Structure formats: C-alpha cells, structure tokens
Amino acid sequence: MRIISIDKNLADTMCQIDPEMLMNKQGRPCLLVLRLRYNGRRQDFAVPFRSNIPPAEQKDNYFALPPRHTTRPRHRHGLHYCKMFPIRKKYIQKFYIDNNPGLQRADKIIQKNEKQIIAQAQAYLDRYSLGLRSIYATNIDRLINFLEDLEQEQVA
C-alpha cells in the first residue's frame, strides 16, 4: 500500500459520473489498496483521505488518523471507505509526502496497520456488495463499468 494521487482528467470525469467522488480537489491524496475482492473479481481500489468524516459515521466505515489543521471539532480525519473507488494502475500518479509532516506521520501509521486497513476495506466491500451501503457512498459498479468502457475505447 502506498499514498498516491490519480490522473486529473480521469478524476474530473469520475466526479461527473458519480457526484460522491471526492477527487474534485486536484492532487487529493489517496491510499492505494491493491487487489481486493469485489463481486468475485480482484480489483485495485483507492481510498481517499478525508479530513472531516462526520461524527455520526460508523467506525467500521473509516480508519482514523490524527486530526489535521482542517479537521473540525468532533469530526475525524482518516481513510473513508465509503468514498473508495476502483482504479487502474495506468492512472496512478506518485504523491510526494517528503515535505508534509502530517502525511509522513499518517504513512507510518498506515504501514503499521496495513493488515487492519486491508481487512476493513475488504469488509466494507463485502457489505457493499450485499447492498449495505450509505447513501453517500460512491457507486462502485458504475465506476467499474466506466473504467472497463474506457479500456475498450482505448483498445479499439
């Protein structure tokens, strides 16, 4: 797992397809989680960092990190599984954390808790595939179909 960003053009298009996508801020960092199961297939997923996860959010829908300066009182900062989306490797961009102490600290916490994050992300996808999802969740099926259509257009 590593901290990444995604191609701006792809992010803009995905935000138009699904209004729950949080990639409208250019260069928003995400955590790349490789090869999770979804509907019987292995997919790569990206989980965005979010600095204001609502206090009412269920604890199994996010992995908490230390608050940022933009985190409002009673809100959480962390990896928000509800905003998880599928991604293909060719759209991944390197995200530099060298000059960001907050992200360096988050990266250390993530590396230390890698197995827990993967298990929580997989559990979220399992619940999602059963129809147990928030109204604010990204539409994973629609985004997978979009990526598959995009790949077919590029082959043709």
Side-chain angles (χ1 to χ4, degrees):
M1 288 193 316
R2 65 185 195 270
I3 298 175
I4 60 154
S5 186
I6 66 168
D7 178 76
K8 181 179 175 3
N9 292 330
L10 179 72
D12 291 344
T13 305
M14 290 176 95
C15 286
Q16 290 173 359
I17 291 170
D18 186 352
E20 292 302 326
M21 284 284 297
L22 289 178
M23 298 310 297
N24 53 355
K25 293 182 181 175
Q26 184 175 2
R28 179 188 284 268
C30 295
L31 179 69
L32 177 66
V33 182
L34 299 173
R35 298 281 159 216
L36 296 175
R37 283 183 326 279
Y38 180 69
N39 285 342
R41 293 177 45 198
R42 295 263 180 202
Q43 299 274 339
D44 293 339
F45 284 89
V47 184
F49 284 79
R50 189 165 181 210
S51 62
N52 284 301
I53 299 171
E57 183 66 80
Q58 295 177 358
K59 294 205 184 307
D60 55 351
N61 284 340
Y62 66 91
F63 179 80
L65 293 167
R68 289 174 31 107
H69 67 282
T70 57
T71 306
R72 292 183 288 219
R74 297 187 19 209
H75 285 69
R76 304 284 181 262
H77 173 247
L79 300 167
H80 201 188
Y81 303 125
C82 291
K83 302 300 182 177
M84 182 184 325
F85 59 93
I87 191 69
R88 301 293 190 265
K89 288 182 178 149
K90 63 184 169 184
Y91 300 111
I92 294 171
Q93 297 178 340
K94 187 164 178 63
F95 192 88
Y96 295 96
I97 63 171
D98 298 339
N99 60 350
N100 188 327
L103 276 177
Q104 287 176 339
R105 183 177 45 185
D107 188 48
K108 287 179 185 173
I109 294 168
I110 288 166
Q111 297 310 321
K112 188 188 251 184
N113 294 285
E114 185 172 344
K115 288 181 182 177
Q116 178 186 353
I117 293 168
I118 291 170
Q120 287 176 334
Q122 184 61 62
Y124 171 78
L125 286 174
D126 293 343
R127 289 190 308 273
Y128 185 98
S129 66
L130 294 173
L132 304 171
R133 58 187 86 147
S134 165
I135 60 171
Y136 302 109
T138 55
N139 189 326
I140 293 173
D141 296 314
R142 184 183 300 159
L143 295 171
I144 288 173
N145 289 337
F146 163 72
L147 289 172
E148 289 173 352
D149 291 347
L150 190 61
E151 286 176 347
Q152 291 199 356
E153 286 176 14
Q154 292 173 351
V155 170

